Amino acid sequence: MPDPSIRTARPEDDEALTRIDVATWSHLHAVQPEPKPPYRPFFSERHAVEDTLVAESDGRAVGYVRIGFPTPLDCNAHVRQIQGLAVADEARGRGVGRALIRAAVAEARRRGARRITLRVLGHNTPARGLYESEGFVVEGVLPEEFLLGGEYVDDVFMGRPL
C-alpha cells in the first residue's frame, strides 16, 4: 500500500467513511452502541464535510479524522478537538493514524486555533501512545466514566498547544 495522501472530505465520501466506521467499531475506542443498519449518514449537522480529513491510498479512503469545536462558546473558539479518528484494518500499522493526527494539528493551526484536544478511553493503549508521541499530554481523567462491555472505563482528556 502506498503512503496515504490526506485531503479534505467530500460529500461523496459519506458511504466509504461509514463503512470504515462500521468495520472498525469496538469498545476499545467507541462509547456509542455498535452500529446497526440502516446506518446514519456519516456527515451531519454536528460533523460537517469540511471538518473531516480523509486518508486516501490508491484512490480509496482508508481512514479519517474529524476536527471540531469542543463547545459552541465564543470564549472557547481558539480550541479545536479531534472528535473521531479511524483507520481501516488493512491500512493499520502503516502510519495512516499518525499522518491523520499530523494533518489535524496542521489544519487546526491553519484555522487559527491555539490548542487542540481530544478524549480517549483509558484502556486504548495504542491510541494513547500514538497521541503522546505526537505531543499530546494527559490533562485530566474521569475515572470509570463509561460502562462498556461490562467494564468501567476511564475517559482521558489530552491536549497540546499549537
Side-chain angles (χ1 to χ4, degrees):
M1 173 183 294
D3 287 342
S5 59
I6 309 294
R7 62 169 173 78
T8 303
R10 299 183 291 255
E12 57 269 22
D13 292 320
D14 193 282
E15 187 177 325
L17 299 181
T18 297
R19 275 197 309 272
I20 290 171
D21 254 3
V22 169
T24 61
W25 182 92
S26 153
H27 277 310
L28 180 63
H29 62 83
V31 297
Q32 296 293 327
E34 185 173 3
K36 304 280 186 210
Y39 303 116
R40 293 180 294 170
F42 186 84
F43 301 114
S44 65
E45 187 176 294
R46 182 170 178 235
H47 297 292
V49 174
E50 61 271 12
D51 293 334
T52 302
L53 301 175
V54 175
E56 193 173 64
S57 183
D58 281 337
R60 66 185 184 86
V62 295
Y64 73 85
V65 62
R66 286 177 163 160
I67 310 163
F69 291 101
T71 74
L73 302 170
D74 287 342
C75 61
N76 189 231
H78 63 286
V79 179
R80 294 299 184 282
Q81 185 177 57
I82 292 175
Q83 297 178 335
L85 175 97
V87 175
D89 288 341
E90 69 271 12
R92 290 192 180 173
R94 300 178 184 270
V96 175
R98 184 174 307 280
L100 285 165
I101 291 167
R102 288 178 178 174
V105 166
E107 181 64 13
R109 188 179 291 121
R110 188 189 71 75
R111 293 182 184 193
R114 294 174 46 89
R115 286 179 34 78
I116 187 166
T117 64
L118 58 87
R119 296 169 69 174
V120 62
L121 295 174
H123 65 201
N124 193 344
T125 306
R128 289 180 64 181
L130 177 59
Y131 297 138
E132 287 171 1
S133 74
E134 289 299 320
F136 288 83
V137 297
V138 173
E139 297 180 339
V141 177
L142 295 174
E144 299 184 352
E145 185 70 4
F146 299 107
L147 178 61
L148 303 173
E151 294 186 30
Y152 291 99
V153 180
D154 296 348
D155 188 12
V156 179
F157 290 82
M158 298 181 81
R160 62 165 281 186
L162 298 174

